[in-house]
């Protein structure tokens, strides 16, 4: 038995993985949601619906500010093996004003839940974003 314990005495214990910072996880969630919303608006703006460009611009500003608050992460190691080609993407879902309005409502409703995991400065930004989304839900035109 003594020999067994002596074998591991010089080997350091592997460090336990560091738990992810809850605020970083929240920022990633916010960023992913903003990217989805921007994708919806972009479809219609690229289709010529220029009335929606100011809405899109506000979401892009929110995204830029959220990304600014997310600390830079080390780049992943480059693999020597070639990666598989991307799978063919699905045909984009039809985007409508009612879908945009619903996305804005859902996003605004989610913001209150997200405030609890945020620092005061981030909570202020989240509340402002939520207010903007709630306003978007009301201000979107009824038709294009």
């Amino acid at each position: 038995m003594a020999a067994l314990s002596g074998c591991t005495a010089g080997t350091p214990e592997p460090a336990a993985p560091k738990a992810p910072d809850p605020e970083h996880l929240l920022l990633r969630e916010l960023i992913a949601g903003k990217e989805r919303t921007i994708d919806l608006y972009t479809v219609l703006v690229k289709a010529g619906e220029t009335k929606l460009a100011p809405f899109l611009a506000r979401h892009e500003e929110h995204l830029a500010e959220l990304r600014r608050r997310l600390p830079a992460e080390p780049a992943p190691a480059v693999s020597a093996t070639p990666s598989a080609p991307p799978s063919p993407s699905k045909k984009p879902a039809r985007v409508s004003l009612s879908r945009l309005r619903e996305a804005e409502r859902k996003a605004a409703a989610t913001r209150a839940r997200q405030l609890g995991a945020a620092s005061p400065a981030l909570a202020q930004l989240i509340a402002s974003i939520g207010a903007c989304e709630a306003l978007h839900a009301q201000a979107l035109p009824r038709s294009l």
Side-chain angles (χ1 to χ4, degrees), residues 125-142:
L125 176 61
I126 292 169
S128 296
I129 288 172
C132 188
E133 291 161 337
L135 181 59
H136 282 184
Q138 296 301 312
L140 279 167
R142 294 291 164 199

Side-chain angles (χ1 to χ4, degrees), residues 6-144:
C7 292
T8 60
T11 307
E13 289 290 322
K18 189 176 173 185
D21 178 3
E23 192 156 296
H24 292 174
L25 295 175
L26 175 58
L27 280 164
R28 289 180 207 280
E29 178 184 338
L30 289 160
I31 288 168
K34 278 292 160 190
E35 288 171 340
R36 286 188 298 273
T37 302
I38 287 170
D39 289 346
L40 293 174
Y41 276 98
T42 300
V43 168
L44 291 175
V45 171
K46 283 185 176 180
E49 302 300 345
T50 57
K51 288 189 234 179
L52 299 178
F55 295 87
L56 173 60
R58 283 187 287 275
H59 284 291
E60 290 171 335
E61 289 170 11
H62 297 160
L63 179 61
E65 182 59 26
L66 291 166
R67 284 183 174 155
R68 188 185 70 75
R69 291 170 184 256
L70 187 64
E73 294 181 348
V78 177
S79 173
T81 59
S83 60
S87 60
S89 58
K90 297 177 185 176
K91 183 179 177 183
R94 182 159 150 40
V95 179
S96 64
L97 285 173
S98 60
R99 184 169 175 202
L100 283 176
R101 199 170 286 107
E102 185 60 24
E104 295 281 16
R105 279 189 197 115
K106 284 182 180 179
T110 301
R111 300 302 169 232
R113 174 187 57 79
Q114 293 169 325
L115 293 174
S119 65
L122 182 57
Q124 184 177 17
L125 176 61
I126 292 169
S128 296
I129 288 172
C132 188
E133 291 161 337
L135 181 59
H136 282 184
Q138 296 301 312
L140 279 167
R142 294 291 164 199
S143 65
L144 294 173

